[in-house]
Structures are given as C-alpha cells and as structure tokens.
Amino acid sequence: MKFYSNGKLFILGEYYVLEGAKVFALPTKFGQSLDVFPISTPVLSWKSYDADGSVWYNDEIAVNDIISNKQSSDDKVRNTLIDILHQAHIMNPTVLQTNGFLVETKLTFPRNWGLGTSSTLINNIAQWFQIDAFELLQRSFGGSGFDIACAQNNVPVTYQVKNNQPIVDQVAFDPTFKDQIYFVYLNQKRDSKEAIANFRKKQKNLTDEVSEVSKMTEELLKIQDLETFISFFKRYEQNLSAILETPTIQEQLFPDFDGLVKSLGGWGGDFVMVASKENPINYFKEKGFEIIIKYQDMIL
C-alpha cells in the first residue's frame, strides 16, 4: 500500500482561522509518502527518510503498545507516533488486528522546512486506516485543519471551520504575476502551539476582524496585478501586527526591501512569501538567506 500527501503554505488567515474565518492556503509540490508492507510479526517496523535519503527516525513498536497507547518517558517522536497510531486504531480497530507492518515514510522536502511533516503523516495514516483525517488530527495534534485540506488537494483551497466541521473549497488562483512571487526560507522555527497561545493571550473580541478576513479571502482571489497584491498583503500584515502587538517580519528584518515580505503560518517562522517587481534573489542572498524558491517551483 502506498499513500501520499501534499505539504502546505498558509497564505491568508493565519490565527484568524481559529476564530472561524474563511482563509486561503496553497498545497505545495513537496510532500510525504507512506509505504506499508504487511509482515507476520506483531510489530510496526518504522523507518522515516528525510528528503536527502537519510534516515531521521528508525524504530520498532509492538502492536500491543499502540493498542494500549504505551509510551516511554523520554522519546518524544516515538510517543507522538504511538499516540497518532493509537487514535487511528480507536477509529478503525481492524487494521492492526491481523498482523504487523513494515512502514516507510519519505519526505520530498527537508524536514526543517516546516511544510507539513506532521500533517502529511496524519493524512497518510488516515488514508491507510480509511478514517477521517480531520478527526484524527483533532484526536492527536489538534489545530485548525487547514494543513489537512492542503494534504488532500492538488489545487488552492479556501478553508473554514463552522460548527466544528471543516469546510474545504477548491478555488482558482493562478496570478498572471506569479513569476514575481517567491518563497524564502528563514530557518527560524516557530512552535505553532506557542504562537497560537500567544495570539489567544493578546486577542480581544475579533468578530469584526474575522468577518473582514473572510472578505479579504474572496478579495484576494480577484486580484489581477502585482501592485494590488502587494498593497493588499501589506494592509493585512499591519492589521495582524496590531493584534499580535508584534512588528511585521518586513519591519523586523527587511525594512529596506522594495516589495512585499509576508510571514506564513506562525509569525516569524519557516518561510516568508516575497513579491516584487525586481528579481529579489540577490537581495536575500546578500542577507544570508540562501533558499529562495520560485512560486512555480513550490506550488502545485
């Protein structure tokens, strides 16, 4: 059995999605596969490969440990994996009834890029167990679920949670100026749970802002030119900056850049989206940021 899920980039509506806003995200060309081979021994022999072919996780877990959710005190990766598999087992107990499995996961992006190592794993396990990936996410990691929507779709999506149910719509987004959009890796890992906790600590009643962001998602899909795109996101960043009481990433790191630098996901995290009239590659390389990916090379 072979499964695959796409990575994700959260373009518009980070944080606000938690309050019910309609948001916008892009599945990436990068993702993760999961290969499953039945074996007679009642264990899961698990091997996870990074994009360069190196093994970053290698373990053997007894099926009974998954069924009983038996975790060790010191191995965080193992504990997380057992918990996800335990929740999957609760949702469909038939998979682990008969035998064990040899399991291999393979990332097509470096693990530290933050494009969805966990969400692609959860969606792949959900496919394997034939269960709902959104429910599995809530039972294990938690979160808004937008990354699961990206994992499952090969086109841009809008995403909203209403009455605790995910609403995913495929949308058209193919800007004529996409050759002027780039993604730059900052290598500044943010803990998304910590970022969310910080947001919730600072927030007030955001009913008006949530409504505004939902409208902005619809507005974004209609933008036809680069100048409007840049000014649109600068307005969005300033609004969120006021709520987070944090300067935008452009103000913090790139105040002299002629164009847009927008945080994606937890502010100050892995990738930023860059848009500019001039090719920005030299600008970022001179500042020490070597990983700069063109829109067409990142997005499906």
Side-chain angles (χ1 to χ4, degrees):
M1 293 178 284
K2 188 176 183 72
F3 308 99
Y4 182 83
S5 295
N6 299 319
K8 46 71 180 180
L9 284 173
F10 205 153
I11 304 300
L12 178 73
E14 67 272 28
Y15 300 110
Y16 296 107
V17 67
L18 302 163
E19 306 300 316
K22 180 188 275 194
V23 301
F24 177 68
L26 293 170
T28 67
K29 288 183 175 179
F30 302 100
Q32 182 167 213
S33 63
L34 175 78
D35 293 329
V36 183
F37 309 92
I39 56 175
S40 56
T41 319
V43 298
L44 260 63
S45 181
W46 196 286
K47 196 172 279 191
S48 293
Y49 294 87
D50 211 332
D52 62 0
S54 63
V55 176
W56 70 268
Y57 180 71
N58 189 12
D59 205 352
E60 191 169 275
I61 305 170
V63 168
N64 282 339
D65 287 352
I66 293 166
I67 291 170
S68 64
N69 203 10
K70 182 182 176 184
Q71 300 184 11
S72 61
S73 59
D74 54 351
D75 193 334
K76 190 178 175 185
V77 176
R78 178 185 171 95
N79 290 347
T80 299
L81 180 58
I82 288 174
D83 186 49
I84 295 168
L85 291 165
H86 173 71
Q87 298 301 333
H89 168 73
I90 290 171
M91 293 171 70
N92 181 3
T94 62
V95 175
L96 298 179
Q97 263 180 1
T98 49
N99 45 258
F101 296 93
L102 174 66
V103 183
E104 290 185 346
T105 72
K106 292 175 183 172
L107 288 163
T108 66
F109 60 91
R111 191 163 60 101
N112 60 352
W113 277 12
L115 293 180
T117 306
S118 302
S119 55
T120 51
L121 175 66
I122 286 171
N123 193 61
N124 283 336
I125 289 174
Q127 291 180 81
W128 171 22
F129 277 71
Q130 297 182 306
I131 55 178
D132 183 85
F134 291 100
E135 185 180 341
L136 180 58
L137 176 75
Q138 294 311 319
R139 285 169 167 262
S140 53
F141 267 69
S144 71
F146 90 91
D147 44 5
I148 299 296
C150 287
Q152 296 178 351
N153 285 279
N154 295 324
V155 296
V157 295
T158 60
Y159 181 78
Q160 189 172 25
V161 179
K162 272 191 174 178
N163 302 319
N164 292 320
Q165 293 300 311
I167 301 168
V168 184
D169 287 313
Q170 296 185 345
V171 292
F173 182 76
D174 188 24
T176 55
F177 48 88
K178 65 181 177 230
D179 58 347
Q180 293 169 295
I181 303 174
Y182 300 77
F183 298 98
V184 179
Y185 180 60
L186 297 187
N187 194 20
Q188 297 181 7
K189 191 72 182 169
R190 284 295 306 277
D191 184 316
S192 55
K193 285 185 178 175
E194 183 184 306
I196 288 165
N198 184 49
F199 170 73
R200 290 203 150 131
K201 189 171 68 179
K202 291 182 183 298
Q203 69 167 272
K204 51 188 175 65
N205 184 315
L206 294 175
T207 305
D208 291 344
E209 287 84 352
V210 165
S211 175
E212 176 65 16
V213 167
S214 296
K215 287 178 190 165
M216 289 184 80
T217 292
E218 301 295 343
E219 189 183 332
L220 170 61
L221 300 176
K222 297 171 185 168
I223 292 176
Q224 300 289 333
D225 64 277
L226 180 67
E227 291 79 5
T228 307
F229 184 82
I230 289 172
S231 61
F232 171 90
F233 274 111
K234 285 195 171 181
R235 169 164 57 102
Y236 171 81
E237 289 281 275
Q238 287 300 330
N239 291 346
L240 187 51
S241 171
I243 290 171
L244 293 176
E245 299 173 354
T246 304
T248 68
I249 199 75
Q250 187 155 358
E251 290 167 339
Q252 289 178 55
L253 297 180
F254 312 106
D256 60 337
F257 181 70
D258 185 12
L260 169 75
V261 181
K262 186 205 176 292
S263 284
L264 303 174
W267 264 31
D270 304 298
F271 276 92
V272 290
M273 180 173 68
V274 170
S276 62
K277 287 181 183 175
E278 306 300 323
N279 188 319
I281 289 176
N282 287 341
Y283 172 91
F284 286 98
K285 286 198 169 178
E286 284 170 8
K287 289 191 175 287
F289 301 100
E290 294 289 328
I291 300 171
I292 304 154
I293 303 173
K294 294 178 179 178
Y295 183 98
Q296 300 95 312
D297 296 332
M298 175 71 90
I299 304 303
L300 280 165

